[in-house]
Short mmCIF file of all heavy atoms in Angstrom, two decimals:
data_model
loop_
_atom_site.label_atom_id
_atom_site.label_comp_id
_atom_site.label_asym_id
_atom_site.label_seq_id
_atom_site.Cartn_x
_atom_site.Cartn_y
_atom_site.Cartn_z
N THR A 1667 -2.54 11.17 -16.22
CA THR A 1667 -3.66 11.86 -15.56
C THR A 1667 -4.35 10.91 -14.56
O THR A 1667 -4.74 11.37 -13.49
CB THR A 1667 -4.69 12.31 -16.64
OG1 THR A 1667 -4.04 13.19 -17.53
CG2 THR A 1667 -5.90 12.97 -15.97
N ILE A 1668 -4.46 9.66 -14.92
CA ILE A 1668 -5.06 8.66 -14.01
C ILE A 1668 -4.32 8.63 -12.70
O ILE A 1668 -4.91 8.69 -11.59
CB ILE A 1668 -5.10 7.25 -14.65
CG1 ILE A 1668 -6.07 7.26 -15.83
CG2 ILE A 1668 -5.48 6.20 -13.65
CD1 ILE A 1668 -6.01 6.04 -16.69
N HIS A 1669 -3.00 8.54 -12.71
CA HIS A 1669 -2.20 8.41 -11.48
C HIS A 1669 -2.17 9.73 -10.76
O HIS A 1669 -2.13 9.77 -9.52
CB HIS A 1669 -0.86 7.86 -11.81
CG HIS A 1669 -0.86 6.42 -12.22
ND1 HIS A 1669 -1.09 5.42 -11.31
CD2 HIS A 1669 -0.72 5.81 -13.41
CE1 HIS A 1669 -1.07 4.28 -11.93
NE2 HIS A 1669 -0.85 4.44 -13.18
N LEU A 1670 -2.16 10.85 -11.47
CA LEU A 1670 -2.20 12.14 -10.79
C LEU A 1670 -3.49 12.31 -10.00
O LEU A 1670 -3.47 12.80 -8.86
CB LEU A 1670 -2.05 13.30 -11.83
CG LEU A 1670 -2.05 14.71 -11.23
CD1 LEU A 1670 -0.85 14.89 -10.30
CD2 LEU A 1670 -2.03 15.74 -12.35
N ASN A 1671 -4.59 11.90 -10.61
CA ASN A 1671 -5.87 11.96 -9.91
C ASN A 1671 -5.97 11.01 -8.76
O ASN A 1671 -6.61 11.31 -7.72
CB ASN A 1671 -7.04 11.75 -10.91
CG ASN A 1671 -7.26 12.91 -11.84
OD1 ASN A 1671 -6.89 14.03 -11.54
ND2 ASN A 1671 -7.84 12.64 -12.96
N MET A 1672 -5.31 9.88 -8.90
CA MET A 1672 -5.30 8.89 -7.81
C MET A 1672 -4.60 9.54 -6.58
O MET A 1672 -5.09 9.49 -5.42
CB MET A 1672 -4.57 7.63 -8.21
CG MET A 1672 -5.39 6.78 -9.18
SD MET A 1672 -6.65 5.74 -8.37
CE MET A 1672 -5.59 4.47 -7.61
N PHE A 1673 -3.45 10.14 -6.82
CA PHE A 1673 -2.71 10.76 -5.72
C PHE A 1673 -3.46 11.96 -5.20
O PHE A 1673 -3.46 12.19 -3.92
CB PHE A 1673 -1.33 11.19 -6.17
CG PHE A 1673 -0.46 11.72 -5.11
CD1 PHE A 1673 -0.09 10.88 -4.08
CD2 PHE A 1673 0.00 13.02 -5.11
CE1 PHE A 1673 0.71 11.37 -3.01
CE2 PHE A 1673 0.78 13.50 -4.09
CZ PHE A 1673 1.18 12.67 -3.07
N PHE A 1674 -4.15 12.71 -6.04
CA PHE A 1674 -5.01 13.80 -5.58
C PHE A 1674 -6.08 13.33 -4.60
O PHE A 1674 -6.30 13.91 -3.55
CB PHE A 1674 -5.65 14.43 -6.84
CG PHE A 1674 -6.70 15.46 -6.55
CD1 PHE A 1674 -6.43 16.58 -5.78
CD2 PHE A 1674 -8.01 15.25 -7.04
CE1 PHE A 1674 -7.39 17.54 -5.57
CE2 PHE A 1674 -8.99 16.22 -6.84
CZ PHE A 1674 -8.71 17.37 -6.06
N ILE A 1675 -6.70 12.21 -4.91
CA ILE A 1675 -7.72 11.66 -4.01
C ILE A 1675 -7.06 11.25 -2.67
O ILE A 1675 -7.63 11.41 -1.59
CB ILE A 1675 -8.42 10.45 -4.65
CG1 ILE A 1675 -9.24 10.93 -5.86
CG2 ILE A 1675 -9.32 9.73 -3.64
CD1 ILE A 1675 -9.84 9.77 -6.67
N SER A 1676 -5.90 10.68 -2.72
CA SER A 1676 -5.18 10.26 -1.53
C SER A 1676 -4.90 11.46 -0.64
O SER A 1676 -4.97 11.36 0.61
CB SER A 1676 -3.86 9.51 -1.86
OG SER A 1676 -2.80 10.42 -2.12
N LEU A 1677 -4.60 12.60 -1.24
CA LEU A 1677 -4.34 13.81 -0.44
C LEU A 1677 -5.63 14.36 0.15
O LEU A 1677 -5.64 14.85 1.33
CB LEU A 1677 -3.69 14.90 -1.29
CG LEU A 1677 -2.25 14.65 -1.72
CD1 LEU A 1677 -1.72 15.89 -2.45
CD2 LEU A 1677 -1.38 14.33 -0.55
N CYS A 1678 -6.73 14.24 -0.56
CA CYS A 1678 -8.05 14.64 0.00
C CYS A 1678 -8.36 13.83 1.20
O CYS A 1678 -8.83 14.38 2.23
CB CYS A 1678 -9.13 14.54 -1.05
SG CYS A 1678 -9.01 15.73 -2.42
N LEU A 1679 -8.12 12.54 1.15
CA LEU A 1679 -8.35 11.63 2.29
C LEU A 1679 -7.42 12.03 3.46
O LEU A 1679 -7.83 11.93 4.62
CB LEU A 1679 -8.14 10.22 1.90
CG LEU A 1679 -9.24 9.61 0.96
CD1 LEU A 1679 -8.78 8.26 0.40
CD2 LEU A 1679 -10.56 9.46 1.71
#
Side-chain angles (χ1 to χ4, degrees):
T1667 301
I1668 292 171
H1669 289 288
L1670 181 62
N1671 286 338
M1672 288 279 286
F1673 186 63
F1674 171 59
I1675 294 172
S1676 83
L1677 290 186
C1678 290
L1679 290 168

